[in-house]
Amino acid sequence: LKRTFVWVAAAVAFGAGLSFFDSPTTSEEFFAGYLLEQSLSIDNLLVFLLLFEYFRIPTAYQNRVLNWGIFGAIFMRAIMIGAGAVA
């Protein structure tokens, strides 16, 4: 919870800095994108919980399965970005 507060505070400070150094419109766009990403993040958590429950993943292994999923997603994104850069 403490770590979450620190990251949210950093995002708020960054958005405020954008408003001060660039423009309020840029800051509003940042906060709109930030809130969208947070809502998608919560949606992903619900999907993970449903998948863990469906496949009956023991609590002790959920962190390991989640980490492999993150690594797989990063790997697949890198492949797609690379394929897009070549095209």
Side-chain angles (χ1 to χ4, degrees), residues 9-26:
V12 169
F14 182 77
L18 283 175
S19 181
F20 181 74
F21 290 109
D22 194 21
S23 71
T25 303
T26 304

Side-chain angles (χ1 to χ4, degrees), residues 12-66:
V12 169
F14 182 77
L18 283 175
S19 181
F20 181 74
F21 290 109
D22 194 21
S23 71
T25 303
T26 304
S27 177
E28 291 169 4
E29 290 172 353
F30 168 76
F31 283 122
Y34 182 77
L35 289 174
L36 177 67
E37 285 294 325
Q38 290 300 315
S39 63
L40 291 174
S41 163
I42 291 172
D43 179 52
N44 284 341
L45 287 175
L46 295 175
V47 170
F48 290 141
L49 289 174
L50 288 172
L51 288 172
F52 288 159
E53 184 177 323
Y54 180 79
F55 289 111
R56 294 183 178 90
I57 307 293
T59 305
Y61 296 114
Q62 288 179 1
N63 191 32
R64 186 174 182 183
V65 170
L66 186 58

